[in-house]
Each structure stands twice: as structure tokens, then as C-alpha cells.
């Protein structure tokens, strides 16, 4: 049984999904975020993987966090 929404989650819901092994994204992204090695890793569409603590644009990153459009990544990456 799937206890996770696949669309329209706020970040709190997305956060708990990540803590439970799910990958999450926003609809416009080609990449996803995942909880790995005790941090959020941002998997970019170009193949780069960035620790959220190393983001170059914190305002943009926090704007994403404030979104209510988080989704579980269902497809195989």
C-alpha cells in the first residue's frame, strides 16, 4: 500500500517521504532530491549531484522548499 501522495505535497510531506527512501521533485524539474548520507542531495538533470548545503543560490533553493507542488519520483532513475 502506498502511503505517499504522488502530487501536491508540501515540503514537510516531501521531507518525510525522503526520510523513508523516496525521491522527490517539482513538476518542472528534470532531476530530483533524495536523502542520502545524512543530507539532501540534489540530483540535477545534467547528472551533477550537489549537497543542498553547497547550493550556489540559497534564495532559489528555499523558494523551491516553499512550494506546495512536490511529487514522489515514480519512474526509475
Amino acid at each position: 500500500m502506498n502511503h505517499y501522495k504522488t502530487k501536491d505535497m508540501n515540503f514537510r510531506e516531501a521531507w518525510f517521504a525522503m526520510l523513508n527512501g523516496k525521491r522527490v521533485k517539482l513538476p518542472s524539474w528534470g532531476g530530483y532530491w533524495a536523502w542520502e548520507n545524512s543530507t539532501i542531495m540534489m540530483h540535477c538533470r545534467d547528472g551533477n549531484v550537489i549537497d543542498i548545503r553547497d547550493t550556489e543560490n540559497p534564495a532559489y533553493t528555499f523558494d523551491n522548499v516553499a512550494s506546495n507542488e512536490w511529487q514522489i519520483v515514480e519512474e526509475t532513475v
Side-chain angles (χ1 to χ4, degrees), residues 44-63:
C44 305
R45 69 175 155 212
D46 64 5
N48 286 329
V49 181
I50 304 166
D51 187 318
I52 195 168
R53 296 172 292 190
D54 296 329
T55 184
E56 293 181 10
N57 189 343
Y60 176 76
T61 301
F62 283 107
D63 187 51

Side-chain angles (χ1 to χ4, degrees), residues 26-37:
L26 292 177
S28 61
W29 289 2
Y32 62 92
W33 288 6
W35 183 250
E36 300 169 351
N37 304 315

Side-chain angles (χ1 to χ4, degrees), residues 11-31:
F11 187 74
R12 182 176 192 278
E13 294 167 311
W15 167 246
F16 285 110
M18 281 190 284
L19 290 178
N20 284 287
K22 301 293 184 181
R23 296 166 295 168
V24 298
K25 62 178 264 166
L26 292 177
S28 61
W29 289 2

